[in-house]
């Protein structure tokens, strides 16, 4: 064999090896491209699924202009046209947050029984976030508060009648989220910029997705109705027990709604601490579980009814720590007409609401 033949064989071998490498690289490229397509499709499906989880109510259209004025906030700092993302909102905002005792669906039924037609706002909080969004005040409204329930529009096109000395949580029962918002605005003279409602199942799933919450109880709790039995002290609770803690009232204090509110405020703080201590961005699986738990049981106003809007709200609160969240209860006194009910204690209640404008 001549050297030329040898070189020819080497060239052919190199060509074959190069061809094999090219084929392998091509195959790897196809696999990689396929993986990227599947990954993008999976991410797209996840986004679609989470986005379509959210239910919404067009409260602004339902209530029209018969509402307290919107708060005037400083304009958001401008950004250059080349900026890749829109600026996050930073103005003060008021959000009515309701925990609904709706038992529609198997998961909710197992956590409380009953039916969806009798749903009420089991928990009501007005969340006021200060300008700059680094401080917040959470005001709990006792559900046993007697109020003047205003006339509310109904989904059928009619209106409900004005009701005097009505239980606060009856507003949700007779007119859903729209009437709940209108009742809160009527009694506080504060505009609710947004509405968020989460049901029994969603709250329990959220706590589980976060790995539970740690709370400290000041007294023993023995409540057969909520199936909660805890000794005083620190406890790490899963979703079902955390929900029971939020709902218990017969095993603490005088058995009224006022004692329960203190426990609910402990849970709010505990949830904020758990969220801030969990690096969800490094664990996509847990992040998805949390997002699915939240969106799957969420009803919002139309201003928050997309994953993008909820994410924007969450990102705008990244500077808010649990230490900067002040939890209070609307000042109340025993109702003159019923020792088992309360009414707003004036002028303290009005002064509190005025501070949130």
């Amino acid at each position: 064999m001549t050297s030329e033949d040898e070189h020819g064989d080497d060239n052919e071998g190199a060509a074959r090896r190069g061809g094999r490498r090219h084929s392998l690289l091509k195959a790897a490229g196809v696999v990689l491209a396929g993986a990227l397509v599947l990954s993008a499709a999976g991410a797209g499906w996840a986004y679609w699924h989470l986005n379509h989880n959210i239910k919404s109510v067009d409260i602004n259209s339902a209530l029209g202009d018969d509402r307290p004025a919107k708060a005037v906030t400083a304009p958001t700092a401008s950004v250059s046209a080349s900026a890749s993302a829109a600026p996050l909102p930073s103005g003060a905002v008021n959000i009515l947050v309701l925990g609904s005792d709706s038992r529609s669906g198997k998961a909710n039924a197992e956590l409380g029984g009953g039916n969806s037609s009798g749903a009420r706002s089991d928990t009501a909080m007005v969340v006021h976030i200060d300008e700059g969004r680094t401080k917040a005040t959470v005001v709990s409204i006792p559900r046993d508060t007697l109020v003047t329930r205003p006339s509310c529009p109904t989904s059928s096109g009619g209106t409900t009648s004005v009701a005097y000395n009505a239980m606060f949580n009856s507003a949700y029962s007779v007119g859903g989220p729209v009437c709940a918002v209108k009742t809160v605005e009527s009694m506080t003279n504060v505009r609710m910029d947004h509405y968020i409602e989460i049901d029994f199942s969603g709250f329990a799933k959220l706590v589980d997705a976060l790995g539970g919450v740690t709370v400290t109880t000041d007294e023993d709790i023995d409540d057969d109705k909520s199936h909660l039995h805890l000794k005083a002290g620190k406890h790490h609770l899963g979703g079902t027990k955390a929900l029971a803690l939020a709902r218990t009232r017969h095993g603490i204090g005088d058995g009224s709604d006022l004692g329960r509110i203190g426990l609910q405020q402990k849970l709010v703080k505990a949830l904020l601490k758990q969220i801030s201590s969990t690096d969800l961005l490094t664990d996509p699986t847990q992040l998805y579980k949390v997002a699915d738990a939240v969106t799957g049981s969420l009803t919002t106003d139309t201003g928050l009814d997309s994953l993008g809007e909820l994410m924007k709200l969450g990102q705008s609160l990244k500077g808010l720590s649990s230490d900067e969240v002040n939890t209070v209860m609307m000042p109340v006194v025993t109702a003159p007409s019923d020792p088992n009910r309360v009414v707003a204690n004036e002028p303290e209640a009005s002064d509190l609401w005025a501070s949130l404008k």
Side-chain angles (χ1 to χ4, degrees), residues 212-229:
V213 292
T214 300
V215 296
T216 300
T217 56
D218 299 325
E219 59 181 295
D220 295 348
I221 299 175
D222 288 296
D223 188 349
D224 291 331
K225 291 193 175 182
S226 65
H227 309 292
L228 184 66
H229 303 279

Side-chain angles (χ1 to χ4, degrees), residues 160-328:
T160 65
S161 300
V162 176
Y164 300 96
N165 289 319
M167 285 268 287
F168 168 75
N169 66 345
S170 68
Y172 185 92
S173 300
V174 302
V178 171
C179 198
V181 169
K182 184 161 187 179
T183 300
V184 170
E185 290 185 342
S186 176
M187 63 187 285
T188 65
N189 197 31
V190 176
R191 173 79 167 238
M192 296 297 110
D193 301 295
H194 291 298
Y195 170 85
I196 295 176
E197 175 192 331
I198 189 166
D199 64 23
F200 282 179
S201 174
F203 178 81
K205 287 179 181 177
L206 172 60
V207 172
D208 283 335
L210 288 169
V213 292
T214 300
V215 296
T216 300
T217 56
D218 299 325
E219 59 181 295
D220 295 348
I221 299 175
D222 288 296
D223 188 349
D224 291 331
K225 291 193 175 182
S226 65
H227 309 292
L228 184 66
H229 303 279
L230 293 175
K231 294 293 184 183
K234 182 181 289 187
H235 304 277
H236 190 75
L237 306 178
T240 300
K241 282 198 171 182
L243 176 63
L245 185 66
R247 298 187 63 218
T248 191
R249 63 187 292 181
H250 299 287
I252 55 171
D254 60 1
S256 73
D257 192 44
L258 305 186
R260 172 168 57 181
I261 283 176
L263 294 176
Q264 291 173 348
Q265 291 175 341
K266 282 180 181 288
L267 274 172
V268 168
K269 291 268 193 173
L271 275 173
L272 289 173
K273 287 182 179 178
Q274 186 65 21
I275 291 171
S276 64
S277 66
T278 305
D279 192 357
L280 296 175
L281 295 180
T282 63
D283 190 343
T285 300
Q286 188 179 14
L287 175 61
Y288 178 81
K289 284 174 63 180
V290 171
D292 194 37
V294 172
T295 60
S297 303
L298 205 65
T299 301
T300 72
D301 65 283
T302 49
L304 289 178
D305 63 352
S306 72
L307 196 58
E309 290 297 332
L310 286 173
M311 288 173 63
K312 189 186 298 183
L313 174 63
Q315 290 168 347
S316 76
L317 302 178
K318 62 183 179 182
L320 178 64
S321 71
S322 61
D323 292 335
E324 295 298 332
V325 177
N326 183 32
T327 55
V328 298

Side-chain angles (χ1 to χ4, degrees), residues 27-43:
V30 170
V31 171
L32 179 59
L36 288 173
V37 168
L38 289 174
S39 177

Side-chain angles (χ1 to χ4, degrees), residues 45 49 74 92 109 127 132 150 218 253 257 340 349 352:
W45 178 88
H49 173 71
V127 179
D218 299 325
D257 192 44
N340 296 315
L352 172 61

